[in-house]
Amino acid sequence: MNTFGNLYRLTTYGESHGAAIGGVVDGMPAGIAIDEDFVRSEMARRRPGQSTLTTARSEADEVEFLSGIFDGRSTGAPIGFIIRNTDTRSGDYDAAALWYRPSHADYTYDQKYGFRDHRGGGRSSARETAVRVVGGALAKLVLAQKGISVKAQLLQVGNETTAEGMEALIRCVKEEGDSIGGVVGCTVTGCPAGLGEPLYGKLHAALGAAMLSINACHGFDYGSGFDGIAMRGSEQNDALVRHSDGSIGTATNHSGGIQGGISNGEPICFRALFKPTPTIMRPQQTVDKEGNVGTLAMKGRHDPCVALRAVPVVEAMAAMTILDYYMMDCAARPFHTPSPQP
Amino acid sequence: MNTFGNLYRLTTYGESHGAAIGGVVDGMPAGIAIDEDFVRSEMARRRPGQSTLTTARSEADEVEFLSGIFDGRSTGAPIGFIIRNTDTRSGDYDAAALWYRPSHADYTYDQKYGFRDHRGGGRSSARETAVRVVGGALAKLVLAQKGISVKAQLLQVGNETTAEGMEALIRCVKEEGDSIGGVVGCTVTGCPAGLGEPLYGKLHAALGAAMLSINACHGFDYGSGFDGIAMRGSEQNDALVRHSDGSIGTATNHSGGIQGGISNGEPICFRALFKPTPTIMRPQQTVDKEGNVGTLAMKGRHDPCVALRAVPVVEAMAAMTILDYYMMDCAARPFHTPSPQP
Amino acid sequence: MNTFGNLYRLTTYGESHGAAIGGVVDGMPAGIAIDEDFVRSEMARRRPGQSTLTTARSEADEVEFLSGIFDGRSTGAPIGFIIRNTDTRSGDYDAAALWYRPSHADYTYDQKYGFRDHRGGGRSSARETAVRVVGGALAKLVLAQKGISVKAQLLQVGNETTAEGMEALIRCVKEEGDSIGGVVGCTVTGCPAGLGEPLYGKLHAALGAAMLSINACHGFDYGSGFDGIAMRGSEQNDALVRHSDGSIGTATNHSGGIQGGISNGEPICFRALFKPTPTIMRPQQTVDKEGNVGTLAMKGRHDPCVALRAVPVVEAMAAMTILDYYMMDCAARPFHTPSPQP
Amino acid sequence: MNTFGNLYRLTTYGESHGAAIGGVVDGMPAGIAIDEDFVRSEMARRRPGQSTLTTARSEADEVEFLSGIFDGRSTGAPIGFIIRNTDTRSGDYDAAALWYRPSHADYTYDQKYGFRDHRGGGRSSARETAVRVVGGALAKLVLAQKGISVKAQLLQVGNETTAEGMEALIRCVKEEGDSIGGVVGCTVTGCPAGLGEPLYGKLHAALGAAMLSINACHGFDYGSGFDGIAMRGSEQNDALVRHSDGSIGTATNHSGGIQGGISNGEPICFRALFKPTPTIMRPQQTVDKEGNVGTLAMKGRHDPCVALRAVPVVEAMAAMTILDYYMMDCAARPFHTPSPQP
């Protein structure tokens, strides 16, 4: 289950403190110019160590493409890529070898596999999201040719919704050695109507699964979402209208661009909730593998608000999902015969 | 994409006003006693026409099992079943043939397929959820043998959270010919630690996709979810403890029974948000297929709050998901070799 | 694993002596005129009891379509269908409840599921192939619009390759209460170049898996196949030529229309080998579930040469495979950008 | 479609003349000791340049494992690995940039993708099979713990079936600058009864698809196969017997260890046919991309009989398939309830 997607697929590997992380993009359309600078700029947006608001861990994140590209363009063959791990101070995590970190995946990985790479969370580390960003950047290159763009931003941190408030809160939380959750909003524009595969591949179900697969994501909604809980149907329904250019659209967009699981041509809008990172610099009660009770005090580097760095990851997962569903929609269209055959 | 699941799989078919709806359950373990009374009782919970709070449409919902059962027990072969449609007053929906119903799937199905069965929403009707309940009932029979139970309930309607308040609000909305959204909560108890398939098959991502695939579901969260947005990591983290019986667990359950995408043995808790049903008895502005602007006044029967009837559907989708992931976890376990080989 | 295909998918259910067999076709393009007479004529080709060469079992094989069709055309929604079983003399098979029939699936089903429906082979009966023929007939309706046709024929029975020889041999074997194997050849014409998904979805690998999934199929080859084992590369290679209409093709077709796993525009040619049906009217040594050794003498009806009735099943599986891969090829094409972007 | 398998999955990337080839093994059970020497020895069996019978191309084939292994044992996380390409004399292939090589994938790749990496066959090169051998070697390590072994050998070259005859024929063909086909036989021993997933995941269908996915494989059969075409059912049927240890088995093994698509506990036996490699050192008629007719004379290195080097690849694909189906079988077993519940 380390493969994401149906027709545009990303398979990933790698642990935070192993030799490398990387992936394989399968289903990349042929002939697409691979703008490596763009891929690098996308990775830079996710990279830690850029601001005093995020973890001090510095990752060079140099991606090397290994296949599927010839003369600067995709060939349709799988694109393998690798990102070597460089700054991996395993020492910081020695305590984790003994004690289960609360609300991390330590205990559950041990329960599942009976054994784990305990260095920095191993496979469950957020380090892995760098690979998703590469897969998303390639998807964006394809979507751009169809006029589709994906844009996410941090909407809320704790109860704060202004830029200044969010920043101040993150700084405060960081000083306390604590962490805080946040909400990322994302909008896809230029997406044609018709994407989504009833019944179990509804477009919002796919987007939801994509977001919930990101580390620390604990919730998802789209359109008016949880905030619209008190709205009546008569308020929530999006009246259909005819735009001045003759096209059909909706007067409002409480449906978030998706109706019956299928895009309707309006902007696709959704939110992803991220919990506070469980890595905090305060002593916590826990147990070790043998069940001994004790107190764990973590050292090292941490992100006080992972939602902040999740922004490009949300975009990447959304871009891959939209392209995947666009391709699925294209599969059947040449065979549709809407007009009766004479 | 009318198949749900990986190893325990439900494939469905059928429109609200066609000859029948039905499905095929593939991957059913062998030798399970098929309690048809239980299946019927589960379907009765979903059936409309039972209360003045739901649609007056009366569906007999007689399920006939066609295969995969011998001497009252499952054989491991696929279980085909069929539910004939009986009460299908298509006349009520004639207007829908002409006008796109706002926030329904009419327009998007036409955009995707160029053609649709307009009677009562066709494939996009909530009628289809009866099939999910059958698939879920069979999954519950398997889970029961492992001591796992799935229980959902209506938590909130609009801003109301008490039973009396919710009922009063639904009645009020119904009288107004309007509709209202709600939130269903679900808890899975008895689930062992270890279920979930990193990285893209996280257990909560699978549950989220399952819920979001249900008609009108617009949001999902688990554990402390969106309501925990203001919590610090130090509050949100679930301290690991050793229970009196020697087992390891958590002091709190803000993680909703899932950490790193894998169940930790605590109750699994999540919520599903349902928007107000778009079918309302009030005139609405819309367009027809040619783009003419007009007003649509629907007649017929409607559910003022689909969240109410979604409760058994939420349980069904959760039961199928948990069984599916339980089976996936079992696939690898006999091969694990946690202790070093001498 | 009772679903066949990726984008055009057939899910099936049913045992030979249960209430019904049937299936769900998912991924059917929309707007296709569903010619039910054609479906019936395809089923008639497979039906037993038509000739003295095949089993006397008479199956009405009345297919009822339940969904996915509106005003005589497909809607894009899944097409559910059911075929009631009528002539099911279970009595003939009573001995099978006690004794494992040699080279049948009795013993292996018991080993896998610990329990089985022993009436007439249950799920493993060739009765199930009727459902495949329905799925294939619908696929043929789609392929016909693209000018693609699929045609199979019996090439060999035992060592006989002439029509008269094959018929005489089957009669002889039938009189002896014995059975004989055969080879079915199939040709797909009108298929465009480009179908096939390297590396693990090579078109011939998909066709091979499709054929080998048919009851009693024990071998598959394509192009010059096993008969070409003594050819040198210089003989086997298909020289590329330019046809008079300017199109590129090959001078010979030893590649069977597929090179590198991708169709090249030439006719696709392959063969499927069918073993003698294991049901024979002669006493055979075997054991029962408890391991007692004994002799089993089967009564009832049997096919002396299943290859004969496999002809329309081979076509059906080929048609579904070709359509499935055609759809997969179409998914990426709108995104390909063969010419460098300026 | 560059992923092979369902629960044990290999995803691959890489071209013969690019930077590297490699893959990701997903679903590897945890705790397995990774014997890197064994992996290397498996790769050495496939490596060209070892004998005067195969291509002179020398590949170092140094595999580097990047993830999923900790303290010498698998962790259950995906195992990423990379094999750098070193000896890639692209110059030999310059002509191929202009002229389509007959019976290669050049023309079909261009038809599918509109664009290709023409160096040495690019993605369609047999170089890629090195990655399969790594995936198979890891699978063998798991199977060995269950007492299962996979062994393949060259059975036939052209019409030659003796070791001396095969060797002489290959030498002769090589001197002529020509090539010849061959048949590889494979036997899996120690496999328990019960593996195989009816109806479309029959064990032999999976093995067939696995073999047919290997470069140049043009045919597959199992058990008595095409050679048994003249056998009667009474000869072909495998009588069930009780072995001296009380276990049930068959007196003969014409079924090749598989009945009804499910393993029966006897050795699994199948054959894979390989056509002559299309790369020959003789002038051949062909066309270029513009449709100009001409003659292509290839230089460089070639394998006169790819079947020879396919032996370890056949084993690798078989090992992965058996493990994959073993895991699928294990998924449902803990839920089976063969005895009636009281």
Side-chain angles (χ1 to χ4, degrees):
Chain A
M1 279 282 199
N2 290 282
T3 296
F4 176 80
N6 298 278
L7 296 181
Y8 182 89
R9 317 205 311 170
L10 174 68
T11 299
T12 68
Y13 64 85
E15 291 88 39
S16 56
H17 292 69
I21 59 173
V24 182
V25 167
D26 196 6
M28 183 74 180
I32 306 293
I34 304 300
D35 181 343
E36 296 202 20
D37 285 341
F38 174 71
V39 177
R40 254 177 247 120
S41 69
E42 288 289 286
M43 294 188 71
R45 293 174 59 205
R46 191 211 69 98
R47 189 156 46 224
Q50 301 182 109
S51 127
T52 55
L53 292 180
T54 61
T55 175
R57 175 173 172 161
S58 141
E59 297 170 345
D61 277 1
E62 273 301 321
V63 60
E64 180 191 5
F65 289 106
L66 302 165
S67 64
I69 301 171
F70 187 60
D71 279 349
R73 294 193 290 142
S74 61
T75 63
I79 299 179
F81 60 92
I82 184 171
I83 305 168
R84 295 272 171 189
N85 286 327
T86 49
D87 179 25
T88 52
R89 287 194 246 154
S90 300
D92 287 349
Y93 295 96
D94 277 352
L98 299 170
W99 299 99
Y100 290 130
R101 293 170 301 166
S103 288
H104 270 88
D106 299 348
Y107 173 71
T108 54
Y109 268 64
D110 258 7
Q111 289 294 306
K112 187 170 189 68
Y113 302 111
F115 177 69
R116 92 198 128 89
D117 179 349
H118 59 257
R119 299 167 302 169
R123 181 64 179 153
S124 70
S125 161
R127 169 91 180 116
E128 163 267 342
T129 56
V131 179
R132 303 185 190 224
V133 170
V134 176
L138 296 176
K140 283 181 177 181
L141 290 174
V142 183
L143 293 176
Q145 296 198 27
K146 300 291 180 185
I148 301 174
S149 69
V150 181
K151 202 72 207 158
Q153 61 175 317
L154 190 62
L155 294 182
Q156 187 175 345
V157 173
N159 284 326
E160 286 297 342
T161 56
T162 64
E164 300 77 24
M166 293 192 282
E167 182 172 340
L169 180 53
I170 294 174
R171 284 194 196 286
C172 164
V173 163
K174 189 183 183 190
E175 275 164 34
E176 294 169 0
D178 214 333
S179 61
I180 187 84
V183 175
V184 175
C186 185
T187 302
V188 182
T189 52
C191 185
L195 310 195
E197 298 297 323
L199 289 178
Y200 308 113
K202 291 193 164 97
L203 187 56
H204 57 263
L207 288 166
M211 296 307 129
L212 291 161
S213 80
I214 305 174
N215 275 23
C217 182
H218 268 229
F220 170 88
D221 62 9
Y222 75 103
S224 46
F226 279 99
D227 291 345
I229 182 71
M231 290 171 82
R232 301 287 164 99
S234 53
E235 299 167 281
Q236 169 112 16
N237 282 1
D238 295 315
L240 284 144
V241 295
R242 196 171 163 185
H243 294 313
S244 51
D245 64 354
S247 68
I248 292 176
T250 59
T252 51
N253 191 16
H254 298 121
S255 301
I258 301 172
Q259 283 162 338
I262 300 170
S263 63
N264 68 355
E266 299 294 325
I268 295 170
C269 308
F270 62 85
R271 301 189 308 163
L273 166 74
F274 291 86
K275 72 164 184 175
T277 178
T279 302
I280 57 176
M281 300 295 106
R282 296 169 157 218
Q284 298 179 81
Q285 186 197 334
T286 188
V287 299
D288 67 9
K289 199 165 180 172
E290 275 69 44
N292 300 307
V293 177
T295 298
L296 172 67
M298 280 183 276
K299 286 178 298 184
R301 303 158 296 192
H302 86 294
D303 265 328
C305 179
V306 285
L308 185 56
R309 284 181 55 210
V311 170
V313 184
V314 164
E315 284 184 15
M317 297 307 288
M320 289 193 283
T321 303
I322 295 294
L323 177 54
D324 189 31
Y325 275 73
Y326 202 157
M327 291 173 78
M328 281 196 277
D329 188 58
C330 286
R333 286 198 179 262
F335 303 94
H336 288 338
T337 313
S339 319
Q341 297 124 328
Chain B
M1 280 280 198
N2 289 281
T3 296
F4 176 81
N6 298 280
L7 296 181
Y8 181 88
R9 318 206 309 169
L10 175 67
T11 299
T12 68
Y13 64 85
E15 291 89 38
S16 57
H17 292 68
I21 59 174
V24 182
V25 168
D26 197 6
M28 183 74 180
I32 306 293
I34 304 300
D35 181 343
E36 295 202 19
D37 286 340
F38 173 71
V39 177
R40 255 177 246 119
S41 69
E42 288 289 286
M43 295 189 69
R45 292 174 60 204
R46 190 211 70 99
R47 189 155 46 225
Q50 300 182 111
S51 127
T52 55
L53 292 180
T54 61
T55 175
R57 176 173 171 163
S58 143
E59 297 170 345
D61 277 0
E62 275 300 323
V63 61
E64 181 191 5
F65 289 106
L66 302 165
S67 66
I69 301 171
F70 187 59
D71 279 350
R73 294 193 291 143
S74 61
T75 63
I79 298 179
F81 60 93
I82 184 171
I83 305 168
R84 295 273 171 189
N85 287 327
T86 48
D87 179 27
T88 54
R89 287 194 246 153
S90 300
D92 287 350
Y93 295 95
D94 277 353
L98 298 171
W99 299 99
Y100 290 130
R101 293 170 300 166
S103 288
H104 270 89
D106 299 349
Y107 173 71
T108 53
Y109 267 64
D110 258 7
Q111 288 295 306
K112 186 171 189 69
Y113 302 111
F115 176 67
R116 93 197 128 91
D117 179 350
H118 60 257
R119 299 166 302 167
R123 182 64 179 153
S124 71
S125 160
R127 169 89 181 117
E128 163 268 342
T129 56
V131 178
R132 303 184 190 224
V133 170
V134 176
L138 296 177
K140 283 181 176 181
L141 291 173
V142 183
L143 292 176
Q145 296 199 26
K146 301 291 181 185
I148 301 173
S149 70
V150 181
K151 203 73 209 158
Q153 61 175 318
L154 190 61
L155 293 182
Q156 187 175 346
V157 173
N159 285 326
E160 289 294 345
T161 56
T162 63
E164 302 74 25
M166 293 193 282
E167 182 172 338
L169 180 53
I170 295 174
R171 283 194 197 287
C172 163
V173 164
K174 189 183 182 189
E175 274 165 33
E176 293 169 0
D178 215 333
S179 61
I180 187 87
V183 176
V184 174
C186 185
T187 302
V188 182
T189 52
C191 186
L195 310 195
E197 299 297 323
L199 288 179
Y200 308 113
K202 292 194 164 95
L203 187 57
H204 57 262
L207 287 166
M211 296 308 129
L212 291 160
S213 80
I214 304 174
N215 275 25
C217 182
H218 268 230
F220 169 88
D221 62 10
Y222 75 102
S224 46
F226 280 97
D227 291 346
I229 181 72
M231 292 170 80
R232 302 284 165 101
S234 53
E235 300 166 282
Q236 169 113 14
N237 282 2
D238 296 314
L240 283 145
V241 295
R242 196 170 163 187
H243 294 313
S244 51
D245 66 354
S247 68
I248 292 176
T250 59
T252 51
N253 191 15
H254 297 122
S255 301
I258 301 172
Q259 284 163 336
I262 300 172
S263 64
N264 68 355
E266 299 293 325
I268 296 169
C269 307
F270 62 85
R271 300 189 309 162
L273 166 74
F274 291 86
K275 72 164 183 175
T277 178
T279 302
I280 57 176
M281 300 297 106
R282 298 170 156 216
Q284 298 179 82
Q285 186 197 333
T286 187
V287 299
D288 67 9
K289 198 163 180 173
E290 275 69 44
N292 300 307
V293 177
T295 298
L296 172 67
M298 280 183 276
K299 286 178 299 184
R301 300 158 297 192
H302 87 294
D303 266 326
C305 179
V306 286
L308 184 57
R309 283 181 56 210
V311 170
V313 184
V314 164
E315 285 185 14
M317 297 308 288
M320 289 192 284
T321 304
I322 295 293
L323 177 54
D324 191 30
Y325 276 72
Y326 202 157
M327 291 173 78
M328 279 195 278
D329 187 60
C330 286
R333 287 199 177 261
F335 302 94
H336 287 338
T337 313
S339 319
Q341 295 125 329
Chain C
M1 280 282 198
N2 289 282
T3 296
F4 176 81
N6 298 280
L7 295 181
Y8 182 88
R9 318 206 309 170
L10 174 68
T11 300
T12 67
Y13 64 86
E15 290 89 38
S16 57
H17 291 69
I21 59 174
V24 182
V25 168
D26 197 6
M28 182 76 180
I32 307 293
I34 304 300
D35 181 344
E36 296 202 19
D37 286 340
F38 173 72
V39 178
R40 255 177 247 120
S41 69
E42 288 289 286
M43 295 188 70
R45 293 174 60 205
R46 190 211 69 98
R47 189 157 44 223
Q50 299 183 109
S51 128
T52 55
L53 292 180
T54 61
T55 174
R57 177 174 171 160
S58 142
E59 296 171 346
D61 277 1
E62 274 300 322
V63 62
E64 180 191 5
F65 289 106
L66 302 165
S67 65
I69 302 171
F70 186 59
D71 280 349
R73 293 193 291 141
S74 62
T75 63
I79 298 180
F81 60 93
I82 184 171
I83 305 168
R84 293 274 171 187
N85 288 326
T86 49
D87 180 26
T88 54
R89 287 195 246 153
S90 300
D92 286 350
Y93 295 96
D94 277 354
L98 298 170
W99 299 98
Y100 291 129
R101 293 170 301 167
S103 288
H104 269 88
D106 299 349
Y107 173 71
T108 53
Y109 268 64
D110 258 8
Q111 289 294 306
K112 187 170 188 68
Y113 302 112
F115 176 68
R116 93 195 129 92
D117 179 349
H118 59 256
R119 299 167 303 167
R123 180 64 178 153
S124 71
S125 161
R127 170 88 181 118
E128 164 268 341
T129 56
V131 177
R132 303 185 189 224
V133 170
V134 176
L138 296 177
K140 282 181 177 181
L141 291 173
V142 183
L143 293 176
Q145 295 198 27
K146 300 291 181 185
I148 301 173
S149 70
V150 181
K151 203 72 209 159
Q153 61 175 318
L154 190 62
L155 293 182
Q156 186 174 346
V157 173
N159 284 326
E160 289 294 344
T161 57
T162 64
E164 301 74 25
M166 293 193 281
E167 182 172 338
L169 180 53
I170 295 175
R171 283 196 198 285
C172 164
V173 163
K174 189 183 181 188
E175 274 163 34
E176 294 169 359
D178 214 333
S179 61
I180 187 86
V183 175
V184 175
C186 186
T187 302
V188 182
T189 51
C191 186
L195 310 195
E197 299 296 324
L199 287 179
Y200 307 112
K202 290 193 165 97
L203 188 57
H204 57 263
L207 287 167
M211 296 308 130
L212 291 161
S213 80
I214 304 174
N215 275 24
C217 182
H218 268 229
F220 169 88
D221 62 9
Y222 76 102
S224 45
F226 280 97
D227 291 346
I229 181 72
M231 291 171 81
R232 302 285 164 102
S234 54
E235 299 166 282
Q236 169 113 15
N237 281 0
D238 297 314
L240 283 145
V241 296
R242 196 171 162 184
H243 294 312
S244 52
D245 65 353
S247 68
I248 293 176
T250 60
T252 50
N253 192 14
H254 298 122
S255 301
I258 301 172
Q259 284 163 337
I262 299 172
S263 63
N264 67 355
E266 299 294 326
I268 295 169
C269 308
F270 62 85
R271 300 189 309 162
L273 165 75
F274 291 86
K275 72 164 183 177
T277 177
T279 302
I280 57 175
M281 300 295 106
R282 297 169 156 217
Q284 298 179 84
Q285 186 197 334
T286 188
V287 299
D288 67 8
K289 197 163 180 173
E290 275 70 43
N292 300 307
V293 177
T295 298
L296 172 67
M298 279 184 276
K299 287 178 298 185
R301 301 158 296 193
H302 86 294
D303 266 328
C305 179
V306 285
L308 185 56
R309 285 180 56 209
V311 170
V313 184
V314 164
E315 285 185 15
M317 297 308 288
M320 289 192 285
T321 304
I322 295 294
L323 177 54
D324 190 30
Y325 275 72
Y326 202 158
M327 291 173 78
M328 279 194 280
D329 187 60
C330 286
R333 286 200 179 261
F335 303 94
H336 287 339
T337 313
S339 318
Q341 296 125 329
Chain D
M1 280 282 197
N2 289 282
T3 296
F4 176 80
N6 298 279
L7 296 181
Y8 182 88
R9 318 204 311 170
L10 174 68
T11 299
T12 67
Y13 64 86
E15 291 88 40
S16 56
H17 292 68
I21 59 174
V24 183
V25 168
D26 197 6
M28 182 74 179
I32 307 293
I34 303 301
D35 180 344
E36 295 202 21
D37 286 340
F38 173 72
V39 177
R40 254 177 247 119
S41 68
E42 287 289 286
M43 294 188 70
R45 294 174 59 205
R46 189 210 72 97
R47 189 158 43 224
Q50 301 183 108
S51 129
T52 56
L53 292 180
T54 62
T55 175
R57 177 174 171 162
S58 141
E59 297 170 346
D61 277 0
E62 275 300 322
V63 60
E64 180 190 5
F65 289 106
L66 302 165
S67 64
I69 301 171
F70 186 59
D71 279 350
R73 294 193 291 142
S74 61
T75 63
I79 298 179
F81 60 93
I82 184 171
I83 304 167
R84 294 273 171 190
N85 287 326
T86 49
D87 179 26
T88 53
R89 286 194 247 151
S90 301
D92 287 350
Y93 295 97
D94 277 354
L98 298 170
W99 298 100
Y100 291 130
R101 293 170 299 166
S103 288
H104 270 87
D106 299 349
Y107 173 71
T108 53
Y109 268 65
D110 258 7
Q111 289 294 305
K112 186 170 189 69
Y113 302 111
F115 176 67
R116 92 196 130 91
D117 179 350
H118 60 257
R119 299 166 301 167
R123 181 64 179 152
S124 71
S125 160
R127 169 89 181 118
E128 163 268 341
T129 56
V131 178
R132 304 185 190 223
V133 170
V134 176
L138 296 177
K140 283 181 177 181
L141 291 174
V142 184
L143 292 176
Q145 296 199 27
K146 301 290 180 184
I148 301 174
S149 70
V150 181
K151 203 73 208 157
Q153 61 176 318
L154 191 62
L155 294 182
Q156 187 174 346
V157 173
N159 285 326
E160 289 295 344
T161 56
T162 64
E164 301 74 25
M166 293 192 283
E167 183 171 338
L169 181 53
I170 295 174
R171 283 195 198 285
C172 163
V173 163
K174 190 182 180 189
E175 275 164 32
E176 294 169 0
D178 214 332
S179 60
I180 187 85
V183 175
V184 175
C186 186
T187 302
V188 182
T189 51
C191 185
L195 309 196
E197 299 296 323
L199 287 179
Y200 307 113
K202 291 193 164 97
L203 187 56
H204 57 262
L207 287 166
M211 296 308 130
L212 292 160
S213 80
I214 304 174
N215 275 25
C217 182
H218 268 229
F220 170 87
D221 61 9
Y222 75 102
S224 44
F226 279 98
D227 290 346
I229 181 72
M231 291 170 81
R232 301 286 164 101
S234 53
E235 299 167 282
Q236 168 114 16
N237 281 1
D238 296 315
L240 283 145
V241 296
R242 195 171 163 184
H243 294 313
S244 51
D245 65 355
S247 69
I248 292 177
T250 60
T252 51
N253 191 15
H254 298 122
S255 301
I258 301 172
Q259 284 163 336
I262 299 172
S263 64
N264 68 355
E266 299 292 327
I268 295 170
C269 307
F270 63 85
R271 300 190 308 163
L273 165 74
F274 291 85
K275 72 164 183 177
T277 177
T279 302
I280 57 176
M281 301 295 105
R282 296 169 157 218
Q284 298 179 81
Q285 185 197 333
T286 188
V287 299
D288 67 8
K289 198 164 180 173
E290 275 69 44
N292 301 308
V293 178
T295 298
L296 173 66
M298 279 184 277
K299 286 177 299 184
R301 302 158 296 192
H302 86 294
D303 266 327
C305 179
V306 284
L308 185 58
R309 283 182 56 212
V311 170
V313 184
V314 164
E315 285 185 14
M317 297 307 287
M320 288 193 284
T321 303
I322 296 293
L323 176 55
D324 191 29
Y325 275 73
Y326 202 158
M327 291 174 78
M328 281 195 277
D329 187 60
C330 287
R333 287 199 177 262
F335 302 94
H336 287 339
T337 313
S339 320
Q341 297 124 329

